[in-house]
Amino acid sequence: MISKSGFTKLSISEFEEWIANLKVAKTILYLQQHHTWNPSYISFKNENHFELQLAMRDYHVNNHGWMEIGQHFTTFPDGSILTGRSLEHTPACIFGFNANAICIENLGNFDLGKDAMTAAHKETIVRMTAALCKKFSIPVNSQKIVYHHWFNLSTGERNNGTKNNKTCPGTNFFGGNKVADCEKNFLPLVAKSLGAAAPPAHVRVLKYAYVTADTLNIREDADAKSNKVKGRDAAILGSILRVYEIKNGWYKISSSDHHWVNASYTRDVKRYIVNAHVLNVRSGPGTNYPKVASLSENQEVFVTEEKNNWFKISSDNKWVKKEFLSIAK
């Protein structure tokens, strides 16, 4: 494990141990698979992992104006992994589908006739996906593990690659980039990698809470005088936290450790599922407001506010009609 320029390089075995022990406050529901397209394999020189990652970060910051690199992780042809954006931050990877997701960029161009994925790279992508599914209790299915190709670039609507879509993660990514390809060729490998791994013990989430402060310290006890938890980032504005226990105006946000946040810097939210085939997202609570995105059937969202039978589903004024959401069970 080597760290440089704000990134950490890990082998797949190191990653599996690291992610199993990492504490993440934010609720994770989805995994995204991407390919970088450029840089591709020809740019990889077996020792320039950090150079390539820095170049991607510079491009994202200077050309797109993002605050940091867009992805959470990058995988490389030799099977190595580099960390990117903090998991406490939303990725900048699929328009309209970034909330509560992890973005994995796989270095290479995996369109037909381009880069032939190495065996080491394949193993890392499969095992990494399995490790993340285990860590965050993500079901191995095509509703939760998604390809960029399945989303309209302009609206964010999931159309499974029928109109205005990138080829990402590549037309030959594990045999193809369609939903059927994923279900036939990729997901069975992930499920096999999970194998007999024991699923996490089920601990009931009492409710969900939305962080209203710019940063919210996580402490060792339900007391403002308690020490901040070492080695764990503060929760940030807009994060959705899982609440396992309530005590004296504090929320316990870890199922296994005594990690607490002051509830006065949060607002309770509820988890909903889209029950329409396509649901328009507008910039305000009414059809007179412009359409800014779309949601797909069975997509999950957290509702932060209700007004005139409309639900607000993010901190940046995105609203949907209440009747097209059903409470998640």
Side-chain angles (χ1 to χ4, degrees):
M1 190 181 299
I2 304 170
S3 295
K4 183 179 177 182
S5 303
F7 306 121
T8 299
K9 178 186 171 189
L10 309 99
S11 68
I12 182 57
S13 296
E14 289 173 330
F15 176 84
E16 288 167 334
E17 181 178 359
W18 174 80
I19 196 66
N21 293 293
L22 184 69
K23 299 299 181 182
V24 180
K26 183 179 178 180
T27 300
I28 303 296
L29 300 177
Y30 302 100
L31 299 182
Q32 304 174 1
Q33 293 288 350
H34 301 257
H35 71 168
T36 57
W37 190 76
N38 181 33
S40 61
Y41 271 25
I42 196 171
S43 300
F44 181 63
K45 308 301 180 185
N46 294 313
E47 56 185 21
N48 62 337
H49 308 74
F50 289 99
E51 178 185 332
L52 291 170
Q53 189 84 329
L54 279 167
M56 283 187 275
R57 182 175 70 184
D58 289 346
Y59 180 79
H60 291 171
V61 171
N62 296 321
N63 287 68
H64 293 316
W66 300 341
M67 62 179 179
E68 54 188 324
I69 195 168
Q71 65 263 36
H72 291 116
F73 302 106
T74 307
T75 68
F76 290 83
D78 64 350
S80 297
I81 300 163
L82 254 66
T83 60
R85 182 176 291 212
S86 165
L87 287 178
E88 299 294 357
H89 291 260
T90 299
C93 294
I94 298 179
F95 175 73
F97 200 84
N98 287 315
N100 307 109
I102 289 175
C103 172
I104 303 168
E105 284 281 0
N106 303 298
L107 189 135
N109 179 354
F110 301 118
D111 285 338
L112 281 167
K114 302 301 180 181
D115 295 330
M117 190 182 290
T118 66
H121 206 174
K122 286 182 179 179
E123 180 183 5
T124 284
I125 294 169
V126 170
R127 288 174 60 181
M128 180 184 194
T129 303
L132 290 168
C133 286
K134 181 180 178 182
K135 170 69 175 181
F136 297 106
S137 300
I138 297 172
V140 181
N141 63 49
S142 57
Q143 288 294 327
K144 297 294 187 176
I145 300 172
V146 302
Y147 292 179
H148 195 178
H149 175 62
W150 303 345
F151 297 85
N152 186 297
L153 294 173
S154 300
T155 67
E157 174 193 344
R158 178 167 175 170
N159 60 18
N160 294 334
T162 57
K163 183 180 179 182
N164 193 30
N165 305 77
K166 283 189 173 183
T167 63
C168 179
T171 54
N172 199 32
F173 181 82
F174 287 86
N177 60 1
K178 302 301 183 186
V179 175
D181 299 319
C182 175
E183 293 175 342
K184 178 182 177 181
N185 302 318
F186 182 60
L187 297 185
L189 296 176
V190 176
K192 183 178 179 181
S193 182
L194 279 169
H202 178 70
V203 180
R204 189 170 72 91
V205 176
L206 293 181
K207 59 180 178 179
Y208 296 91
Y210 171 92
V211 177
T212 58
D214 288 339
T215 58
L216 180 56
N217 291 325
I218 301 170
R219 300 191 178 274
E220 295 176 349
D221 204 351
D223 188 332
K225 296 180 180 179
S226 177
N227 292 328
K228 289 188 278 188
V229 175
K230 293 181 180 178
R232 181 165 189 177
D233 293 339
I236 64 171
L237 178 67
S239 293
I240 305 295
L241 310 180
R242 300 168 300 281
V243 177
Y244 297 97
E245 187 180 334
I246 303 171
K247 183 170 72 173
N248 301 327
W250 288 71
Y251 289 159
K252 182 172 178 280
I253 63 166
S254 172
S255 62
S256 57
D257 294 297
H258 288 281
H259 293 176
W260 297 81
V261 297
N262 191 327
S264 62
Y265 296 104
T266 70
R267 184 168 68 244
D268 289 355
V269 296
K270 291 185 178 180
R271 185 171 168 176
Y272 284 83
I273 299 175
V274 176
N275 60 35
H277 180 63
V278 177
L279 178 57
N280 291 331
V281 180
R282 298 188 179 274
S283 62
T287 55
N288 55 313
Y289 287 90
K291 176 183 170 182
V292 294
S294 301
L295 299 177
S296 304
E297 190 172 11
N298 296 319
Q299 191 168 335
E300 296 185 43
V301 296
F302 289 95
V303 171
T304 63
E305 187 179 336
E306 180 178 353
K307 187 175 183 181
N308 299 328
N309 291 318
W310 286 74
F311 279 159
K312 187 178 182 183
I313 59 170
S314 73
S315 58
D316 57 346
N317 279 325
K318 290 182 179 178
W319 296 77
V320 297
K321 202 94 178 272
K322 177 180 178 178
E323 65 186 280
F324 298 115
L325 294 182
S326 302
I327 194 75
K329 298 180 180 179

